[in-house]
Amino acid sequence: MARSARTPRRRVLLVLVLALAVLGGGATLATWATRSGPFADESYCWGAWTEGSGPRVLGDDFARAAEESGSPERGEQATCVVAFGVPGTEEMKSPDTSAHGRTPRAGEGAGGHRLVARVGPPPRSTDRARQAWLAEALHSSAAPLPDGLPGVVGPGRGTLVLPEECDSGDVPTVVTVRSEGDVSYLDSEREAAELLLSLAETARREAGCATGKPERITAPVRTAPGEETYPEERPACRVPGMRFAPRRGGLGGYASTAGDRLHSCSLELTGKDGEVDARGQFVATSLPRLVTLFAGAAGEDSSRSPDAGSSRSPGAGWRGKGRIEGRDGLVGLVTAECRGRPTVFFLHLDDPLARAAAPGAREVFARSANSVTERLGCPAVGPRE
């Protein structure tokens, strides 16, 4: 476990000049030549990010402290936390660089700010752990990456699945970046994408799978979608078949679409106190590397194919393979061919949302999947009424 701290370079250089005046500079000048001494730019997260490059969180306006846990080796989990803030403030006197530190939510006032980088496979456990991971990794407040890259990016988050040569057995390796704090100091989707691709390149190098050219973005990065509200008369996430009629609370969420390769929706049911009572996620994707993330998402055997262990039909009238579980909410995962490509259709609803689905949770899954296939010009996946 490695930890480093850094104040703005102007302050560091002033201290070093005074030190040189007293002690002499032979040793320091020698380390300057190898770029490993105090005059060298500080790097973070296994060398993926360097101060003074890219986003302003790496610039002179912020002090930083970083801690790495693990190494991004194939099949292993590794985490890096960069805490940053205004020099001399309370949060930077004892910055939280722990992998599971809590940062303030919006409206809670000032607090520590962190960039959290993770490299590794999805949770090997199926069911709840995988569903929670998917909800975070493919949250629809992030837009699909351009140039066919298998991932998403928003001003405060990003996810990218590494190429198949970086897999551990049949399990993909995923890199994620998350900005935590009461506000995000990443100014654009482009900044988050640059951090994400730099982390991905470092992870590939560390894992020994850096064959071919590094991923690059040439097309404009899409603007992430804004939050929407869905009254009872309006279908959620612009999917005609996705309708809810909650007895209490308000339904909101994000909808993100990239042509015929990725359609995602993240839902939140909030009570009168503003707290989230239930969450939901709908994803339809034919991007091969994203498809691999859903293996085990509905509780079946975790392997490369999301329908492995589910060779059966999910039910009467369904096309493709998969399963639908209706205990304590709903989890549905179906893989079917659409326009010549294996396509995953996934729906997870916490119990309050499943009970609010109109006319029912299974019907909403079928109608939502069919809405997507109709838009893409494919045969229906779910039963038609």
Side-chain angles (χ1 to χ4, degrees), residues 80-297:
C80 172
V81 178
V82 181
F84 63 93
V86 177
T89 52
E90 201 60 40
E91 63 265 19
M92 291 311 298
K93 292 179 181 178
S94 56
D96 182 4
T97 58
S98 63
H100 303 289
R102 181 193 178 278
T103 53
R105 294 170 296 185
E108 289 186 331
H113 296 85
R114 297 145 41 99
L115 287 176
V116 180
R118 300 184 189 277
V119 181
R124 295 187 182 275
S125 61
T126 61
D127 229 9
R128 294 290 183 185
R130 178 66 63 85
Q131 294 152 22
W133 183 89
L134 283 168
E136 182 70 21
L138 296 181
H139 197 277
S140 299
S141 62
L145 285 165
D147 297 323
L149 291 175
V152 296
V153 68
R157 67 174 72 225
T159 297
L160 179 67
V161 185
L162 297 187
E164 187 174 342
E165 54 263 33
C166 298
D167 288 1
S168 176
D170 289 334
V171 182
T173 298
V174 184
V175 297
T176 64
V177 176
R178 180 78 188 272
S179 175
E180 295 184 348
D182 55 342
V183 295
S184 173
Y185 280 88
L186 297 179
D187 294 327
S188 67
E189 291 83 356
R190 187 84 197 188
E191 284 191 354
E194 289 173 358
L195 290 175
L196 185 66
L197 293 186
S198 180
L199 178 64
E201 185 175 352
T202 298
R204 292 179 66 183
R205 183 175 63 249
E206 293 290 315
C209 56
T211 58
K213 295 181 179 179
E215 283 97 348
R216 292 287 182 266
I217 291 178
T218 58
V221 180
R222 296 178 178 88
T223 300
E227 188 173 9
E228 303 175 337
T229 57
Y230 306 117
E232 187 174 334
E233 65 275 7
R234 181 185 177 191
C237 296
R238 305 171 214 164
V239 179
M242 188 171 291
R243 292 185 177 273
F244 297 88
R247 294 184 178 181
R248 60 179 66 88
L251 184 62
Y254 298 84
S256 181
T257 304
D260 63 345
R261 307 306 296 270
L262 176 62
H263 190 124
S264 67
C265 165
S266 297
L267 296 169
E268 289 187 349
L269 180 65
T270 56
K272 292 182 179 180
D273 57 359
E275 293 295 320
V276 177
D277 294 333
R279 290 182 170 87
Q281 182 182 32
F282 174 71
V283 179
T285 183
S286 61
L287 283 168
R289 297 303 291 158
L290 292 188
V291 167
T292 64
L293 301 182
F294 290 87

Side-chain angles (χ1 to χ4, degrees), residues 16-90:
L16 288 173
V17 167
L18 294 175
L20 288 172
V22 176
L23 301 175
T28 305
L29 291 175
T31 53
W32 165 278
T34 62
R35 302 290 290 172
S36 61
F39 284 123
D41 288 338
E42 186 84 353
S43 63
Y44 310 98
C45 300
W46 314 285
W49 306 330
T50 304
E51 70 170 357
S53 64
R56 61 185 174 125
V57 299
L58 299 177
D60 287 344
D61 292 336
F62 293 98
R64 288 170 293 275
E67 185 171 346
E68 299 168 0
S69 176
S71 176
E73 300 176 2
R74 198 185 304 248
E76 300 296 323
Q77 293 284 356
T79 302
C80 172
V81 178
V82 181
F84 63 93
V86 177
T89 52
E90 201 60 40

